Amino acid sequence: MTEIKNLDIQQKNVVVVGTDGSDAASRAVSYGATEASVRGSKLLIVHSWFIPNFGYGSAYVAPINEIEIAAQEVVDKAVEATKEAFPGIEVKGKLLEGTPGVRLVEVADKEADIVVIGTRGHGSFTSLLLGSVSAYVLHHSNIPVLLVRPEASH
Amino acid sequence: MIKRILVGVDGSANSLGALNWTIALAQQTNAEVMAVHAMGLKPIEENGKFLSPEEARHITAELLDSVWCAPLKNSGVKHQNLLLEGSPVTALLEIADESAVDLIVVGTRGHSLGEASIGSTAHRIIEESKTPVVVLPPRPADG
């Protein structure tokens, strides 16, 4: 017999949304902001960066500072745009180092009531449609996952 | 804004969890809930014999209203319970489109069996829905 436990809709008053700076992600961010405003929650915008692994013997050294600065810009831009479009809600950004899906799930499980993420919205295989990050989040999250397609309107 | 939320119900524990979550969201947003069950194409067996389509429909409608959707009735949230026929995915997405639903809520797994953490119905809804979909985890996180 499965134990029935109710999911609390709101415990932490935070909606978390992942972004990579793409158009699909900004759709998800604005949907997340809508969700936060109807719930009276804060919005936390998360972006993760990581150093691509070029394998053994690679002579290439990633310019870590540049990557991190660019990543911080992704967060700042998303936060600014959202604050402007949704003046009624508290918006915060968070930059994390590591694999995007893994980091997002960690933050979401700890700090949020729901995690919002964009999907690519095309392709016949779910993995392709979702993208690897949203697929990871969908399968590993312990909190509700709101998937927003690029063409979704609200 | 979220004005109308569609939730699939099938009487499973996860579907009850999804319904309760939806009710809480609807209370917060003053949204209307559409609780939808699609009967599917398989005949229903009871005590070793198959029910006629009319009987099956009658019994399922009864279950939907008085058992599966009981929390909805008790919540005071504006709602409608809908019994549909046909493939759950198609029926659900059609009604979502027709009724201008703002959000679809699905449990991770209903009555289906298997090892994947996401049921095939939920998977196809995520894949095909134009409306944003909330997928609930199979059980809440500890703590």
Side-chain angles (χ1 to χ4, degrees), chain A residues 49-54 58-72 97:
Chain A
W49 69 280
F50 64 103
I51 302 158
N53 183 357
F54 292 101
S58 169
Y60 184 73
V61 178
I64 295 175
N65 281 342
E66 279 171 38
I67 296 176
E68 189 170 5
I69 289 165
Q72 186 63 51
E97 186 185 343

Side-chain angles (χ1 to χ4, degrees), chain B residues 29-129:
Chain B
T29 56
N30 283 322
E32 178 191 351
V33 174
M34 287 177 76
V36 175
H37 178 75
M39 287 187 56
L41 306 167
K42 270 184 268 169
I44 297 175
E45 194 184 331
E46 203 177 65
N47 301 325
K49 67 176 185 107
F50 289 111
L51 300 176
S52 73
E54 295 74 33
E55 280 176 314
R57 193 173 172 81
H58 181 77
I59 288 174
T60 312
E62 189 76 29
L63 268 176
L64 179 68
D65 281 338
S66 48
V67 184
W68 300 347
C69 293
L72 199 49
K73 204 186 286 176
N74 299 334
S75 71
V77 163
K78 193 176 165 207
H79 68 278
Q80 44 182 316
N81 307 336
L82 288 174
L83 183 60
L84 306 173
E85 277 168 35
S87 134
V89 176
T90 313
L92 217 108
L93 292 178
E94 269 176 19
I95 199 83
D97 259 3
E98 282 166 22
S99 315
V101 161
D102 300 299
L103 198 64
I104 298 175
V105 180
V106 292
T108 313
R109 171 163 293 286
H111 275 318
S112 57
L113 298 168
E115 294 202 341
S117 63
I118 310 283
S120 60
T121 302
H123 228 158
R124 284 194 49 211
I125 288 170
I126 295 162
E127 195 169 86
E128 293 173 30
S129 169

Side-chain angles (χ1 to χ4, degrees), chain A residues 78-149:
Chain A
V79 170
E80 279 314 304
T82 311
K83 276 184 175 166
E84 210 168 286
F86 295 85
I89 57 169
E90 189 181 326
V91 184
K92 281 192 175 150
K94 197 170 207 156
L95 180 63
L96 299 168
E97 186 185 343
T99 316
V102 178
R103 287 287 168 268
L104 183 57
V105 166
E106 282 172 6
V107 169
D109 280 353
K110 212 185 296 168
E111 299 185 20
D113 303 305
I114 187 167
V115 52
V116 184
I117 193 152
T119 66
R120 291 182 190 160
H122 54 78
S124 52
F125 297 103
T126 303
S127 55
L128 290 177
L129 166 85
L130 285 173
S132 59
V133 175
S134 39
Y136 180 89
V137 173
L138 183 59
H139 286 87
H140 292 88
S141 173
N142 287 309
I143 63 169
V145 181
L146 172 54
L147 296 151
V148 182
R149 286 173 75 114

